[in-house]
Amino acid sequence: MTDKLTLDEIAQRAGVSRTTASRVLNNRPNVRPEVRERVQQVIEETGYSPNPVARSLAIQHTHILGLVLPRRSDTVFTDPYFPVLIQGIAQACNDHEYTLGLFLLQTPEEERKLLPRIAHKGLLDGLIIQVGEIGDQLIARLLEKNVPLVVAGRPAQEIPVSYIDVDNVAGAYQAVSHLIRLGHTRIGTITGALNTTAALDRRTGYEQALREHGLPLEDALVAPGNFNESSGYQAMQQLLPHRPTAIFVASDVMVFGALRALSEAGLRVPEDMALVGYDDLPPAANAAPPLTTVHQPVLRFGEQAVEILLDILENGSVPPRRVILDTELIIRDSCGASQA
Amino acid sequence: MTDKLTLDEIAQRAGVSRTTASRVLNNRPNVRPEVRERVQQVIEETGYSPNPVARSLAIQHTHILGLVLPRRSDTVFTDPYFPVLIQGIAQACNDHEYTLGLFLLQTPEEERKLLPRIAHKGLLDGLIIQVGEIGDQLIARLLEKNVPLVVAGRPAQEIPVSYIDVDNVAGAYQAVSHLIRLGHTRIGTITGALNTTAALDRRTGYEQALREHGLPLEDALVAPGNFNESSGYQAMQQLLPHRPTAIFVASDVMVFGALRALSEAGLRVPEDMALVGYDDLPPAANAAPPLTTVHQPVLRFGEQAVEILLDILENGSVPPRRVILDTELIIRDSCGASQA
DNA sequence: TGCTGTATTGGAAGCGCTTCCAATTCCTAC
DNA sequence: GTAGGAATTGGAAGCGCTTCCAATACAGCA
């Protein structure tokens, strides 16, 4: 209601020029204390707050960051990972007084339609973009438009872009090593969608652990999943005939699917089959049995992503920043360690 | 890189005035076809796209909608409900060429800090705000600032605001009636957080069903939850000694907690205890056993929310719009109907 | 008391677009 | 060939803010 207020009016009411009013509004020096006081008075009385769009136009940035989540929407809102990521990013945006714009690119047409809006340096100061499938050209295209951006997850191509990731290889390596330490020798894995670097890296960690401990790699013990529940279920069924005694599953959601297959087969966890997952989001601790899983610091991941982006905004995008966060193996019941 | 382009330059290159250039940019009439062609040519060659901020300042709206999720963050990103809601809203925003701004108000300070940004009609054209706890004054405060808004969920107070909700009373009523029809007479309920209207309404539906079917209401059979997994677990434990044979649980997430308590107690579902949940989000179908649950059309809910908001933007906020979406009981295994 | 240097102030230009309105051009009909 | 009207064009004034820069006020010093 009192919204037609402009800085001009404030200035008039306080009996100063618009310039001076602007100065006190932005806490700039060179205003006599008494004058400053008077203007502040008026601002408070009227409940004035400056028009962000006008300000943005003048200063040439908006204080808005964009988060873009490409394709694969099935996973995007079925896996608790993304909500938590969003939360971390939103939190950090709040802390730094930025506004967060959300862009879900579900279909190719949407991507095409949204691209100009995302790529234009007018609306968004910068972008956090979740890495997509291998072969996705979105990042490359954005890069050549010169938009400040940081990628969440390791991009497939070797391009000079800033990104943040968790150490997926090491996380998987830890998990599998732990199973080996518990005495397992026939260890399978259910992979994530192999058109993502995260899934690839986790499989690499699995292989590396087996190899370094002198265990053979057996193709039949590697079942492809795609990060959702049903794929975990199917992969588990596929694995069962080959009699593994332990499985490293590339995401907790797939563990739930695996658990379902196991219970249908009348097998118990961890007695008949040890399981280690990946993610450690809220559902993991309350599962039956509670999941041993590789913890990723998703909230911090999100926070850091925006901090990197802000750094780029301030200091330019060269050289590209690279941040790899550590994971931690959380030992609960599903691996059998607690009863071993 | 080619981003310093302004409409002025386009006009110059095409040999017309900025006014005319603007006209072709916005597909307005009164431009000679050949001229229009020429300008379009230049626009394409240069890859020009107009600065959205400048345009916003001129036309006095931004084409940005805000989604604000107040407090109770524990539930917000632990319950799959919200991601799906966000998805529906984002989808609809895309369809209508709006950008979505996300505001998570986790702490009171954040709320205070963000309020001006949210309430100022400069940045956001309108707001979709998730209803908060009963007693929350956020909506009222926003309302008096005259921000166009639509509430997701029924507000507690009787205020003249537009909102969209699902028919929680009817949904719960359906669920409980179904259990009664299956022959149950000792039917308990695990409620949601009773400082929300959704939880209250669902409890009302439960009571109504019992009453109308001549069954007694028994306080001991009503256990308070708060929509998260652990509360379902605890509530179930609390209910067990009173020997219900069926439970209506106010959200699927709490069903998972209940399931955990039941399995620890050595009870089987649905043989020893019939369960009906609420939500029917992806995890429900893959649960063990698959959940009978009240389906809410969350995606459509989100879409409609933005459509209502756009309607308000276009035609004013009086009278307040009220939209109540229907729910549907999805019968799977957890209620025992399939084996009865 | 007068002079130089610093702190305060406000005028005006500019951010990149839209849009009102007056000026010009083009048709058509007479 | 000309008057009248419609279609086309561009000048200029905003939208609400920031900021450069020149102008003014004030301080300290000799």
PDB file of all heavy atoms in Angstrom, chain C residues 9-20:
ATOM      1  P    DT C   9      25.928  16.988   4.232  1.00  0.00           P
ATOM      2  OP1  DT C   9      25.052  17.827   5.071  1.00  0.00           O
ATOM      3  OP2  DT C   9      25.747  15.524   4.160  1.00  0.00           O
ATOM      4  O5'  DT C   9      25.940  17.540   2.761  1.00  0.00           O
ATOM      5  C5'  DT C   9      25.094  18.610   2.424  1.00  0.00           C
ATOM      6  C4'  DT C   9      25.139  18.873   0.956  1.00  0.00           C
ATOM      7  O4'  DT C   9      26.363  18.393   0.380  1.00  0.00           O
ATOM      8  C3'  DT C   9      24.064  18.160   0.169  1.00  0.00           C
ATOM      9  O3'  DT C   9      22.977  19.054   0.032  1.00  0.00           O
ATOM     10  C2'  DT C   9      24.713  17.822  -1.174  1.00  0.00           C
ATOM     11  C1'  DT C   9      26.136  18.324  -1.011  1.00  0.00           C
ATOM     12  N1   DT C   9      27.202  17.477  -1.593  1.00  0.00           N
ATOM     13  C2   DT C   9      27.784  17.871  -2.770  1.00  0.00           C
ATOM     14  O2   DT C   9      27.466  18.866  -3.390  1.00  0.00           O
ATOM     15  N3   DT C   9      28.778  17.043  -3.237  1.00  0.00           N
ATOM     16  C4   DT C   9      29.226  15.881  -2.634  1.00  0.00           C
ATOM     17  O4   DT C   9      30.120  15.213  -3.131  1.00  0.00           O
ATOM     18  C5   DT C   9      28.569  15.522  -1.396  1.00  0.00           C
ATOM     19  C7   DT C   9      28.966  14.287  -0.668  1.00  0.00           C
ATOM     20  C6   DT C   9      27.597  16.322  -0.935  1.00  0.00           C
ATOM     21  P    DG C  10      21.586  18.524  -0.462  1.00  0.00           P
ATOM     22  OP1  DG C  10      20.563  19.493  -0.007  1.00  0.00           O
ATOM     23  OP2  DG C  10      21.451  17.093  -0.133  1.00  0.00           O
ATOM     24  O5'  DG C  10      21.766  18.692  -2.035  1.00  0.00           O
ATOM     25  C5'  DG C  10      22.152  19.965  -2.527  1.00  0.00           C
ATOM     26  C4'  DG C  10      22.425  19.883  -4.003  1.00  0.00           C
ATOM     27  O4'  DG C  10      23.624  19.106  -4.250  1.00  0.00           O
ATOM     28  C3'  DG C  10      21.333  19.191  -4.819  1.00  0.00           C
ATOM     29  O3'  DG C  10      21.341  19.816  -6.084  1.00  0.00           O
ATOM     30  C2'  DG C  10      21.856  17.778  -4.962  1.00  0.00           C
ATOM     31  C1'  DG C  10      23.324  18.077  -5.178  1.00  0.00           C
ATOM     32  N9   DG C  10      24.255  16.992  -4.904  1.00  0.00           N
ATOM     33  C8   DG C  10      24.205  16.061  -3.888  1.00  0.00           C
ATOM     34  N7   DG C  10      25.210  15.233  -3.906  1.00  0.00           N
ATOM     35  C5   DG C  10      25.970  15.628  -5.003  1.00  0.00           C
ATOM     36  C6   DG C  10      27.176  15.101  -5.523  1.00  0.00           C
ATOM     37  O6   DG C  10      27.832  14.161  -5.096  1.00  0.00           O
ATOM     38  N1   DG C  10      27.604  15.803  -6.648  1.00  0.00           N
ATOM     39  C2   DG C  10      26.948  16.886  -7.200  1.00  0.00           C
ATOM     40  N2   DG C  10      27.510  17.422  -8.282  1.00  0.00           N
ATOM     41  N3   DG C  10      25.823  17.393  -6.717  1.00  0.00           N
ATOM     42  C4   DG C  10      25.395  16.711  -5.625  1.00  0.00           C
ATOM     43  P    DG C  11      19.993  20.074  -6.823  1.00  0.00           P
ATOM     44  OP1  DG C  11      19.413  21.353  -6.377  1.00  0.00           O
ATOM     45  OP2  DG C  11      19.196  18.843  -6.750  1.00  0.00           O
ATOM     46  O5'  DG C  11      20.567  20.259  -8.302  1.00  0.00           O
ATOM     47  C5'  DG C  11      21.813  20.946  -8.465  1.00  0.00           C
ATOM     48  C4'  DG C  11      22.406  20.625  -9.809  1.00  0.00           C
ATOM     49  O4'  DG C  11      23.340  19.529  -9.697  1.00  0.00           O
ATOM     50  C3'  DG C  11      21.414  20.211 -10.885  1.00  0.00           C
ATOM     51  O3'  DG C  11      21.912  20.698 -12.125  1.00  0.00           O
ATOM     52  C2'  DG C  11      21.434  18.688 -10.810  1.00  0.00           C
ATOM     53  C1'  DG C  11      22.898  18.414 -10.459  1.00  0.00           C
ATOM     54  N9   DG C  11      23.135  17.238  -9.630  1.00  0.00           N
ATOM     55  C8   DG C  11      22.381  16.813  -8.563  1.00  0.00           C
ATOM     56  N7   DG C  11      22.865  15.744  -7.997  1.00  0.00           N
ATOM     57  C5   DG C  11      24.004  15.439  -8.729  1.00  0.00           C
ATOM     58  C6   DG C  11      24.945  14.377  -8.569  1.00  0.00           C
ATOM     59  O6   DG C  11      24.952  13.498  -7.734  1.00  0.00           O
ATOM     60  N1   DG C  11      25.939  14.434  -9.532  1.00  0.00           N
ATOM     61  C2   DG C  11      26.030  15.389 -10.517  1.00  0.00           C
ATOM     62  N2   DG C  11      27.058  15.276 -11.353  1.00  0.00           N
ATOM     63  N3   DG C  11      25.169  16.395 -10.671  1.00  0.00           N
ATOM     64  C4   DG C  11      24.179  16.350  -9.749  1.00  0.00           C
ATOM     65  P    DA C  12      21.149  20.441 -13.479  1.00  0.00           P
ATOM     66  OP1  DA C  12      21.560  21.554 -14.367  1.00  0.00           O
ATOM     67  OP2  DA C  12      19.715  20.170 -13.198  1.00  0.00           O
ATOM     68  O5'  DA C  12      21.840  19.109 -14.003  1.00  0.00           O
ATOM     69  C5'  DA C  12      23.263  19.013 -13.980  1.00  0.00           C
ATOM     70  C4'  DA C  12      23.673  17.732 -14.676  1.00  0.00           C
ATOM     71  O4'  DA C  12      23.765  16.654 -13.702  1.00  0.00           O
ATOM     72  C3'  DA C  12      22.675  17.239 -15.716  1.00  0.00           C
ATOM     73  O3'  DA C  12      23.411  16.542 -16.692  1.00  0.00           O
ATOM     74  C2'  DA C  12      21.793  16.288 -14.921  1.00  0.00           C
ATOM     75  C1'  DA C  12      22.877  15.616 -14.081  1.00  0.00           C
ATOM     76  N9   DA C  12      22.414  14.968 -12.862  1.00  0.00           N
ATOM     77  C8   DA C  12      21.285  15.243 -12.127  1.00  0.00           C
ATOM     78  N7   DA C  12      21.148  14.467 -11.084  1.00  0.00           N
ATOM     79  C5   DA C  12      22.263  13.635 -11.126  1.00  0.00           C
ATOM     80  C6   DA C  12      22.705  12.607 -10.292  1.00  0.00           C
ATOM     81  N6   DA C  12      22.048  12.208  -9.207  1.00  0.00           N
ATOM     82  N1   DA C  12      23.854  11.992 -10.632  1.00  0.00           N
ATOM     83  C2   DA C  12      24.517  12.390 -11.725  1.00  0.00           C
ATOM     84  N3   DA C  12      24.202  13.354 -12.586  1.00  0.00           N
ATOM     85  C4   DA C  12      23.053  13.942 -12.220  1.00  0.00           C
ATOM     86  P    DA C  13      22.825  16.212 -18.097  1.00  0.00           P
ATOM     87  OP1  DA C  13      23.244  17.312 -18.988  1.00  0.00           O
ATOM     88  OP2  DA C  13      21.400  15.841 -17.975  1.00  0.00           O
ATOM     89  O5'  DA C  13      23.682  14.924 -18.482  1.00  0.00           O
ATOM     90  C5'  DA C  13      25.007  14.793 -17.945  1.00  0.00           C
ATOM     91  C4'  DA C  13      25.315  13.341 -17.753  1.00  0.00           C
ATOM     92  O4'  DA C  13      24.745  12.872 -16.507  1.00  0.00           O
ATOM     93  C3'  DA C  13      24.731  12.439 -18.843  1.00  0.00           C
ATOM     94  O3'  DA C  13      25.710  11.479 -19.180  1.00  0.00           O
ATOM     95  C2'  DA C  13      23.506  11.830 -18.178  1.00  0.00           C
ATOM     96  C1'  DA C  13      23.986  11.707 -16.743  1.00  0.00           C
ATOM     97  N9   DA C  13      22.947  11.637 -15.722  1.00  0.00           N
ATOM     98  C8   DA C  13      21.784  12.353 -15.660  1.00  0.00           C
ATOM     99  N7   DA C  13      21.039  12.071 -14.612  1.00  0.00           N
ATOM    100  C5   DA C  13      21.771  11.096 -13.944  1.00  0.00           C
ATOM    101  C6   DA C  13      21.536  10.383 -12.759  1.00  0.00           C
ATOM    102  N6   DA C  13      20.448  10.546 -11.997  1.00  0.00           N
ATOM    103  N1   DA C  13      22.461   9.483 -12.370  1.00  0.00           N
ATOM    104  C2   DA C  13      23.549   9.318 -13.130  1.00  0.00           C
ATOM    105  N3   DA C  13      23.892   9.935 -14.262  1.00  0.00           N
ATOM    106  C4   DA C  13      22.946  10.821 -14.615  1.00  0.00           C
ATOM    107  P    DG C  14      25.512  10.567 -20.461  1.00  0.00           P
ATOM    108  OP1  DG C  14      26.841  10.383 -21.065  1.00  0.00           O
ATOM    109  OP2  DG C  14      24.359  11.051 -21.241  1.00  0.00           O
ATOM    110  O5'  DG C  14      25.100   9.199 -19.753  1.00  0.00           O
ATOM    111  C5'  DG C  14      25.969   8.686 -18.756  1.00  0.00           C
ATOM    112  C4'  DG C  14      25.346   7.483 -18.145  1.00  0.00           C
ATOM    113  O4'  DG C  14      24.380   7.889 -17.158  1.00  0.00           O
ATOM    114  C3'  DG C  14      24.588   6.590 -19.142  1.00  0.00           C
ATOM    115  O3'  DG C  14      25.066   5.284 -19.017  1.00  0.00           O
ATOM    116  C2'  DG C  14      23.149   6.715 -18.721  1.00  0.00           C
ATOM    117  C1'  DG C  14      23.278   7.026 -17.249  1.00  0.00           C
ATOM    118  N9   DG C  14      22.127   7.700 -16.681  1.00  0.00           N
ATOM    119  C8   DG C  14      21.421   8.754 -17.218  1.00  0.00           C
ATOM    120  N7   DG C  14      20.419   9.125 -16.467  1.00  0.00           N
ATOM    121  C5   DG C  14      20.467   8.262 -15.389  1.00  0.00           C
ATOM    122  C6   DG C  14      19.619   8.174 -14.250  1.00  0.00           C
ATOM    123  O6   DG C  14      18.643   8.871 -13.956  1.00  0.00           O
ATOM    124  N1   DG C  14      20.019   7.155 -13.391  1.00  0.00           N
ATOM    125  C2   DG C  14      21.088   6.323 -13.603  1.00  0.00           C
ATOM    126  N2   DG C  14      21.330   5.403 -12.677  1.00  0.00           N
ATOM    127  N3   DG C  14      21.890   6.395 -14.655  1.00  0.00           N
ATOM    128  C4   DG C  14      21.511   7.381 -15.503  1.00  0.00           C
ATOM    129  P    DC C  15      24.860   4.226 -20.178  1.00  0.00           P
ATOM    130  OP1  DC C  15      26.194   3.835 -20.666  1.00  0.00           O
ATOM    131  OP2  DC C  15      23.827   4.729 -21.103  1.00  0.00           O
ATOM    132  O5'  DC C  15      24.226   2.998 -19.414  1.00  0.00           O
ATOM    133  C5'  DC C  15      24.814   2.447 -18.253  1.00  0.00           C
ATOM    134  C4'  DC C  15      23.780   1.577 -17.589  1.00  0.00           C
ATOM    135  O4'  DC C  15      22.962   2.410 -16.753  1.00  0.00           O
ATOM    136  C3'  DC C  15      22.808   0.953 -18.583  1.00  0.00           C
ATOM    137  O3'  DC C  15      23.289  -0.337 -18.942  1.00  0.00           O
ATOM    138  C2'  DC C  15      21.499   0.858 -17.799  1.00  0.00           C
ATOM    139  C1'  DC C  15      21.675   1.846 -16.648  1.00  0.00           C
ATOM    140  N1   DC C  15      20.728   2.995 -16.625  1.00  0.00           N
ATOM    141  C2   DC C  15      20.001   3.272 -15.474  1.00  0.00           C
ATOM    142  O2   DC C  15      20.141   2.535 -14.491  1.00  0.00           O
ATOM    143  N3   DC C  15      19.143   4.329 -15.462  1.00  0.00           N
ATOM    144  C4   DC C  15      19.025   5.099 -16.547  1.00  0.00           C
ATOM    145  N4   DC C  15      18.187   6.129 -16.479  1.00  0.00           N
ATOM    146  C5   DC C  15      19.780   4.845 -17.726  1.00  0.00           C
ATOM    147  C6   DC C  15      20.600   3.787 -17.727  1.00  0.00           C
ATOM    148  P    DG C  16      23.535  -0.679 -20.492  1.00  0.00           P
ATOM    149  OP1  DG C  16      24.412  -1.860 -20.528  1.00  0.00           O
ATOM    150  OP2  DG C  16      23.922   0.542 -21.203  1.00  0.00           O
ATOM    151  O5'  DG C  16      22.108  -1.110 -21.024  1.00  0.00           O
ATOM    152  C5'  DG C  16      21.466  -2.208 -20.432  1.00  0.00           C
ATOM    153  C4'  DG C  16      20.008  -2.165 -20.783  1.00  0.00           C
ATOM    154  O4'  DG C  16      19.407  -0.995 -20.215  1.00  0.00           O
ATOM    155  C3'  DG C  16      19.710  -2.100 -22.284  1.00  0.00           C
ATOM    156  O3'  DG C  16      18.753  -3.094 -22.577  1.00  0.00           O
ATOM    157  C2'  DG C  16      19.169  -0.701 -22.483  1.00  0.00           C
ATOM    158  C1'  DG C  16      18.505  -0.445 -21.141  1.00  0.00           C
ATOM    159  N9   DG C  16      18.321   0.958 -20.808  1.00  0.00           N
ATOM    160  C8   DG C  16      19.119   2.009 -21.169  1.00  0.00           C
ATOM    161  N7   DG C  16      18.692   3.159 -20.711  1.00  0.00           N
ATOM    162  C5   DG C  16      17.533   2.846 -20.004  1.00  0.00           C
ATOM    163  C6   DG C  16      16.647   3.670 -19.291  1.00  0.00           C
ATOM    164  O6   DG C  16      16.687   4.904 -19.123  1.00  0.00           O
ATOM    165  N1   DG C  16      15.606   2.948 -18.720  1.00  0.00           N
ATOM    166  C2   DG C  16      15.457   1.590 -18.831  1.00  0.00           C
ATOM    167  N2   DG C  16      14.391   1.066 -18.216  1.00  0.00           N
ATOM    168  N3   DG C  16      16.285   0.799 -19.500  1.00  0.00           N
ATOM    169  C4   DG C  16      17.302   1.481 -20.054  1.00  0.00           C
ATOM    170  P    DC C  17      18.223  -3.379 -24.000  1.00  0.00           P
ATOM    171  OP1  DC C  17      18.218  -4.831 -24.174  1.00  0.00           O
ATOM    172  OP2  DC C  17      18.910  -2.529 -24.960  1.00  0.00           O
ATOM    173  O5'  DC C  17      16.707  -2.873 -23.930  1.00  0.00           O
ATOM    174  C5'  DC C  17      15.754  -3.689 -23.336  1.00  0.00           C
ATOM    175  C4'  DC C  17      14.679  -2.866 -22.658  1.00  0.00           C
ATOM    176  O4'  DC C  17      15.227  -1.629 -22.200  1.00  0.00           O
ATOM    177  C3'  DC C  17      13.521  -2.436 -23.543  1.00  0.00           C
ATOM    178  O3'  DC C  17      12.537  -3.464 -23.512  1.00  0.00           O
ATOM    179  C2'  DC C  17      13.002  -1.203 -22.857  1.00  0.00           C
ATOM    180  C1'  DC C  17      14.154  -0.735 -21.992  1.00  0.00           C
ATOM    181  N1   DC C  17      14.623   0.633 -22.304  1.00  0.00           N
ATOM    182  C2   DC C  17      13.931   1.713 -21.760  1.00  0.00           C
ATOM    183  O2   DC C  17      12.939   1.483 -21.052  1.00  0.00           O
ATOM    184  N3   DC C  17      14.352   2.966 -22.010  1.00  0.00           N
ATOM    185  C4   DC C  17      15.425   3.167 -22.777  1.00  0.00           C
ATOM    186  N4   DC C  17      15.817   4.426 -22.989  1.00  0.00           N
ATOM    187  C5   DC C  17      16.149   2.090 -23.357  1.00  0.00           C
ATOM    188  C6   DC C  17      15.712   0.849 -23.105  1.00  0.00           C
ATOM    189  P    DT C  18      11.312  -3.344 -24.528  1.00  0.00           P
ATOM    190  OP1  DT C  18      10.622  -4.630 -24.462  1.00  0.00           O
ATOM    191  OP2  DT C  18      11.773  -2.806 -25.811  1.00  0.00           O
ATOM    192  O5'  DT C  18      10.391  -2.222 -23.853  1.00  0.00           O
ATOM    193  C5'  DT C  18       9.686  -2.544 -22.668  1.00  0.00           C
ATOM    194  C4'  DT C  18       8.772  -1.390 -22.299  1.00  0.00           C
ATOM    195  O4'  DT C  18       9.521  -0.154 -22.296  1.00  0.00           O
ATOM    196  C3'  DT C  18       7.601  -1.170 -23.245  1.00  0.00           C
ATOM    197  O3'  DT C  18       6.476  -0.878 -22.435  1.00  0.00           O
ATOM    198  C2'  DT C  18       8.020   0.032 -24.066  1.00  0.00           C
ATOM    199  C1'  DT C  18       8.848   0.821 -23.057  1.00  0.00           C
ATOM    200  N1   DT C  18       9.891   1.717 -23.613  1.00  0.00           N
ATOM    201  C2   DT C  18       9.862   3.041 -23.263  1.00  0.00           C
ATOM    202  O2   DT C  18       9.019   3.532 -22.553  1.00  0.00           O
ATOM    203  N3   DT C  18      10.885   3.800 -23.793  1.00  0.00           N
ATOM    204  C4   DT C  18      11.912   3.357 -24.605  1.00  0.00           C
ATOM    205  O4   DT C  18      12.785   4.130 -25.003  1.00  0.00           O
ATOM    206  C5   DT C  18      11.875   1.953 -24.928  1.00  0.00           C
ATOM    207  C7   DT C  18      12.943   1.379 -25.807  1.00  0.00           C
ATOM    208  C6   DT C  18      10.884   1.205 -24.429  1.00  0.00           C
ATOM    209  P    DT C  19       5.014  -0.967 -23.009  1.00  0.00           P
ATOM    210  OP1  DT C  19       4.181  -1.481 -21.918  1.00  0.00           O
ATOM    211  OP2  DT C  19       5.037  -1.625 -24.320  1.00  0.00           O
ATOM    212  O5'  DT C  19       4.626   0.564 -23.254  1.00  0.00           O
ATOM    213  C5'  DT C  19       4.874   1.511 -22.226  1.00  0.00           C
ATOM    214  C4'  DT C  19       4.566   2.893 -22.748  1.00  0.00           C
ATOM    215  O4'  DT C  19       5.750   3.490 -23.310  1.00  0.00           O
ATOM    216  C3'  DT C  19       3.524   2.930 -23.868  1.00  0.00           C
ATOM    217  O3'  DT C  19       2.794   4.138 -23.707  1.00  0.00           O
ATOM    218  C2'  DT C  19       4.370   3.011 -25.123  1.00  0.00           C
ATOM    219  C1'  DT C  19       5.461   3.939 -24.612  1.00  0.00           C
ATOM    220  N1   DT C  19       6.724   3.921 -25.374  1.00  0.00           N
ATOM    221  C2   DT C  19       7.493   5.065 -25.353  1.00  0.00           C
ATOM    222  O2   DT C  19       7.181   6.066 -24.758  1.00  0.00           O
ATOM    223  N3   DT C  19       8.657   4.968 -26.075  1.00  0.00           N
ATOM    224  C4   DT C  19       9.107   3.884 -26.800  1.00  0.00           C
ATOM    225  O4   DT C  19      10.177   3.925 -27.401  1.00  0.00           O
ATOM    226  C5   DT C  19       8.257   2.724 -26.770  1.00  0.00           C
ATOM    227  C7   DT C  19       8.644   1.500 -27.516  1.00  0.00           C
ATOM    228  C6   DT C  19       7.116   2.797 -26.073  1.00  0.00           C
ATOM    229  P    DC C  20       1.239   4.160 -24.040  1.00  0.00           P
ATOM    230  OP1  DC C  20       0.583   3.456 -22.928  1.00  0.00           O
ATOM    231  OP2  DC C  20       1.006   3.742 -25.440  1.00  0.00           O
ATOM    232  O5'  DC C  20       0.936   5.722 -23.915  1.00  0.00           O
ATOM    233  C5'  DC C  20       1.534   6.466 -22.841  1.00  0.00           C
ATOM    234  C4'  DC C  20       1.966   7.829 -23.346  1.00  0.00           C
ATOM    235  O4'  DC C  20       3.203   7.694 -24.091  1.00  0.00           O
ATOM    236  C3'  DC C  20       0.960   8.496 -24.282  1.00  0.00           C
ATOM    237  O3'  DC C  20       0.810   9.852 -23.906  1.00  0.00           O
ATOM    238  C2'  DC C  20       1.599   8.361 -25.665  1.00  0.00           C
ATOM    239  C1'  DC C  20       3.086   8.360 -25.329  1.00  0.00           C
ATOM    240  N1   DC C  20       3.927   7.620 -26.287  1.00  0.00           N
ATOM    241  C2   DC C  20       5.088   8.219 -26.813  1.00  0.00           C
ATOM    242  O2   DC C  20       5.386   9.368 -26.469  1.00  0.00           O
ATOM    243  N3   DC C  20       5.862   7.524 -27.681  1.00  0.00           N
ATOM    244  C4   DC C  20       5.515   6.280 -28.029  1.00  0.00           C
ATOM    245  N4   DC C  20       6.311   5.634 -28.879  1.00  0.00           N
ATOM    246  C5   DC C  20       4.336   5.656 -27.514  1.00  0.00           C
ATOM    247  C6   DC C  20       3.576   6.351 -26.657  1.00  0.00           C
TER     248       DC C  20
END
